[in-house]
């Protein structure tokens, strides 16, 4: 079950909270007999057949009926296994995550943590976009929470997303760990619930106020362009509106060189958003 929050749509920039994450409140579980797994999440339970059962539902929830309870446990050989939970149905080495194309400001949720020894828990979020040229995912943004604090009662966390690209993602990955990477302890327990992305709508005024730099002007053989951060592509058109060139921007803030040695006269350079909205329109004279 996925909760959908009501949206209030405003023209100006406002905070929008949406339950966009599959099974974000951990209400949906699949019973495999010897263990159970949260729907739309990957755990290691299936690797061990539920012995040990590292992740299970609990009625000690922040909201709804259930939350996810994660605990590091020993296997039959006396090895301590770190409890992990990853969004999607695949592990980290096999394209994890779920479809998501927004640029949230943060990932919010609620958790309790009972560490053993000096262990710590972590929650990580990353946003990715598939690159057709390299046939790999490119990192768009990331954030993480790391805590060794003993938290008895549900506490809210908010993980800011740091962006390394101006592109919109197509995939989000959320990772939860009941212990640190090295030296995790048996018995460390993380309970997590009510995850959601905090999205911020960009003001229309901010998008429309972006400028497009075109230089030199007049130009011959080539000209340079610098677009704003919301631009996704550049088009060169003639006075009739016929598109002569389209340049897809991988990083809008970089200067782009456009070759035009065979063109002469008056033309227009347009900066467009991902959904082809014209953000800026500049005249250029080619000689």
């Amino acid at each position: 079950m996925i909760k959908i929050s009501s949206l209030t749509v405003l023209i100006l920039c406002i905070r929008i909270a949406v339950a966009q994450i599959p099974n974000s409140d951990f209400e949906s579980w699949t019973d495999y007999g010897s263990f159970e797994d949260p729907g739309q999440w990957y755990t290691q339970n299936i690797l061990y057949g539920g012995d040990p059962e590292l992740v299970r539902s609990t009625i000690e929830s922040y909201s709804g009926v259930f939350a996810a309870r994660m605990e590091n446990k020993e296997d039959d050989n006396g090895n301590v296994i770190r409890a992990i939970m990853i969004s999607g149905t695949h592990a980290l080495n096999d394209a994890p995550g779920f479809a998501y194309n927004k640029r949230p400001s943060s990932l919010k949720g609620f958790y309790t943590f009972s560490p053993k020894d000096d262990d710590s828990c972590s929650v990580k979020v990353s946003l990715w976009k598939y690159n057709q040229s390299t046939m790999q995912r490119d990192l768009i943004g990331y954030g993480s929470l790391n805590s060794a604090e003993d938290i008895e009662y549900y506490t809210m966390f908010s993980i800011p997303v740091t962006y390394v690209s101006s592109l919109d993602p197509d995939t989000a990955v959320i990772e939860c760990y009941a212990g640190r990477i090295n030296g995790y302890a048996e018995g460390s327990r993380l309970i997590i619930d009510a995850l959601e992305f905090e999205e911020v709508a960009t003001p229309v005024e901010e998008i429309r106020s972006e400028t497009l730099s075109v230089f030199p002007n007049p130009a011959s053989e080539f000209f340079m362009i610098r677009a704003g951060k919301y631009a996704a592509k550049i088009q060169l058109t003639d006075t009739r509106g016929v598109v002569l060139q389209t340049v897809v921007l991988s990083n809008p803030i970089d200067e782009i060189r456009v070759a035009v040695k065979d063109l002469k006269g008056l033309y227009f350079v347009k900066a467009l958003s991902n959904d082809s909205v014209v953000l800026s329109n500049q005249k250029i004279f080619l000689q």
Side-chain angles (χ1 to χ4, degrees):
M1 182 178 71
I2 301 175
K3 297 179 181 177
I4 304 296
S5 302
S6 60
L7 300 180
T8 301
V9 181
L10 301 177
I11 294 178
L12 297 180
C13 178
I14 59 172
R15 174 184 177 277
I16 303 178
V18 189
Q20 323 87 335
I21 303 163
N23 199 18
S24 61
D25 52 3
F26 303 103
E27 295 297 284
S28 174
W29 292 80
T30 300
D31 188 349
Y32 291 95
S34 59
F35 67 93
E36 58 179 351
D37 261 346
Q40 300 299 310
W41 290 82
Y42 169 85
T43 80
Q44 293 175 297
N45 283 342
I46 194 169
L47 297 179
Y48 298 95
D51 185 20
E53 188 178 22
L54 303 166
V55 179
R56 65 175 177 83
S57 65
T58 175
I59 59 174
E60 298 175 26
S61 61
Y62 172 79
S63 65
V65 178
F66 300 115
R69 183 184 188 275
M70 308 170 60
E71 184 174 343
N72 304 333
K73 295 183 179 181
E74 278 192 357
D75 63 11
D76 292 338
N77 297 317
N79 300 313
V80 177
I81 310 300
R82 183 170 65 148
I84 70 174
M85 187 169 63
I86 303 171
S87 60
T89 56
H90 302 284
L92 281 177
N93 60 353
D94 189 21
F98 54 94
Y100 184 74
N101 61 3
K102 304 295 184 181
R103 292 174 64 91
S105 60
S106 62
L107 171 68
K108 188 180 79 171
F110 293 84
Y111 77 120
T112 70
F113 183 55
S114 177
K116 296 298 182 181
D117 300 331
D118 58 349
D119 206 357
S120 61
C121 67
S122 62
V123 179
K124 300 179 180 181
V125 58
S126 55
L127 303 171
W128 304 82
K129 186 176 183 66
Y130 185 75
N131 188 320
Q132 295 285 351
S133 299
T134 63
M135 300 180 67
Q136 293 181 338
R137 287 178 171 180
D138 291 338
L139 180 65
I140 304 300
Y142 66 94
S144 65
L145 161 76
N146 295 280
S147 176
E149 183 180 357
D150 191 339
I151 302 175
E152 182 179 0
Y153 301 102
Y154 270 107
T155 300
M156 187 186 81
F157 65 82
S158 183
I159 304 172
V161 177
T162 299
Y163 285 95
V164 297
S165 170
S166 61
L167 299 178
D168 290 335
D170 57 25
T171 302
V173 179
I174 299 172
E175 307 164 48
C176 306
Y177 300 92
R180 62 189 181 195
I181 295 177
N182 296 310
Y184 42 86
E186 180 187 9
S188 291
R189 184 179 67 251
L190 170 66
I191 299 179
I192 192 165
D193 200 9
L195 298 175
E196 69 176 13
F197 280 127
E198 293 186 304
E199 297 173 356
V200 176
T202 303
V204 175
E205 289 82 356
E206 180 181 338
I207 296 176
R208 293 293 189 180
S209 66
E210 282 199 334
T211 58
L212 171 68
S213 298
V214 180
F215 56 94
N217 193 2
S220 60
E221 295 191 354
F222 74 92
F223 63 88
M224 305 294 293
I225 57 175
R226 180 187 287 272
K229 63 181 179 180
Y230 299 113
K233 57 187 174 182
I234 297 294
Q235 286 184 345
L236 177 67
T237 70
D238 61 18
T239 55
R240 298 169 298 169
V242 176
V243 177
L244 305 177
Q245 287 192 51
T246 299
V247 179
V248 177
L249 304 177
S250 59
N251 189 352
I253 64 174
D254 289 343
E255 291 182 358
I256 306 297
R257 179 186 172 112
V258 181
V260 289
K261 63 180 181 180
D262 295 328
L263 300 178
K264 296 184 183 298
L266 179 64
Y267 295 87
F268 293 91
V269 181
K270 299 179 180 180
L272 291 84
S273 66
N274 271 323
D275 52 1
S276 297
V277 174
V278 177
L279 306 179
S280 185
N281 190 1
Q282 300 282 342
K283 295 179 181 178
I284 186 169
F285 187 77
L286 305 179
Q287 58 187 17

